[in-house]
Amino acid sequence: MKIVKAIALVLAVAIAGVLLLAATRPTHYRVERSATIAAAPAAVFAQVNDLHRWNAWSPWEKLDPAMKRTYAGPETGPDASYAWAGNDEVGEGRMTIVESVPQQRVGIRLEFIKPWTETCQVRFALARQTSGTRVAWSLEGDHNFVSKVMCVFMDMDKMIGGDFERGLGQLRTVAEAMPVQPAEAVASEASGSAPPAPAGAGDK
């Protein structure tokens, strides 16, 4: 019995320590990663502003082949939404576009339903560069106590940041493979720079 009591005491102390440590974690969080894509802002914007296209580059789409997806609202832009429900790796949640400025930015409200409940903000900021488009993908919000406890055992910036890096790499592949549209060429000429060459151009 003494051994059982000792083990129970150790567990109680360990749990109390985790809870106290979680309480010291900052409430607000922000994760951001960026990449330069050799494509015009319009090509990148088209991928981000249409939630139907996310399955081609999102880092989470392949985690559960049986994941259920539900789309609602307009095809693109504000009020377009995408809900998912899947295994333990993807959980359940919903994304809704709340801001859409062509070729500049897309803002999304991200709601987690399972395995925990939390709402945060996602933002894609696009900036034209000589070599194409710089894309900054960020996530920010406020931890509830459950997510604070989770952060005691995991590095959120490293985990989410790694997903963002993988997603940006896949977004680059998709956007660079898109053919340059006439409107993009005109916009590039007006800005004084030539449109980025399609992927593979010049490799002959």
Side-chain angles (χ1 to χ4, degrees):
M1 293 297 293
K2 289 184 177 180
I3 294 178
V4 174
K5 288 183 179 179
I7 293 175
L9 178 60
V10 170
L11 288 175
V13 171
I15 292 172
V18 169
L19 295 179
L20 287 172
L21 184 58
T24 66
R25 295 285 180 173
T27 297
H28 191 75
Y29 62 87
R30 178 181 172 82
V31 177
E32 180 176 323
R33 295 293 189 273
S34 62
T36 298
I37 296 175
V44 180
F45 180 80
Q47 293 296 325
V48 176
N49 193 52
D50 185 346
L51 299 176
H52 299 83
R53 298 193 183 194
W54 281 50
N55 61 1
W57 57 268
S58 169
W60 304 290
E61 284 291 330
K62 303 299 187 293
L63 295 179
D64 180 7
M67 183 170 64
K68 296 180 180 179
R69 303 169 178 82
T70 304
Y71 298 93
E75 287 290 309
T76 64
D79 297 326
S81 70
Y82 162 64
W84 75 90
N87 59 21
D88 292 341
E89 287 192 87
V90 298
E92 182 178 349
R94 180 187 303 106
M95 294 190 297
T96 304
I97 296 180
V98 296
E99 180 186 25
S100 178
V101 180
Q103 303 186 40
Q104 295 182 34
R105 61 183 178 274
V106 174
I108 297 171
R109 181 175 66 251
L110 174 59
E111 302 167 89
F112 293 105
I113 300 173
K114 292 180 181 181
W116 71 92
T117 302
E118 188 172 343
T119 299
C120 48
Q121 305 302 316
V122 174
R123 180 183 175 92
F124 290 85
L126 313 182
R128 180 182 291 277
Q129 295 189 334
T130 303
S131 54
T133 303
R134 180 180 181 276
V135 184
W137 186 0
S138 64
L139 167 76
E140 63 180 307
D142 294 316
H143 287 301
N144 55 32
F145 192 72
V146 173
S147 58
K148 281 187 176 184
V149 171
M150 292 176 60
C151 286
V152 171
F153 302 99
M154 66 181 188
D155 185 331
M156 184 174 180
D157 184 84
K158 183 177 181 180
M159 182 181 72
I160 300 298
D163 288 340
F164 280 9
E165 290 166 8
R166 189 167 68 257
L168 286 169
Q170 293 170 176
L171 176 60
R172 175 188 291 115
T173 299
V174 172
E176 291 181 354
M178 292 181 65
V180 176
Q181 300 298 320
E184 295 173 15
V186 171
S188 296
E189 291 174 3
S191 65
S193 61
D203 295 339
K204 299 178 180 178

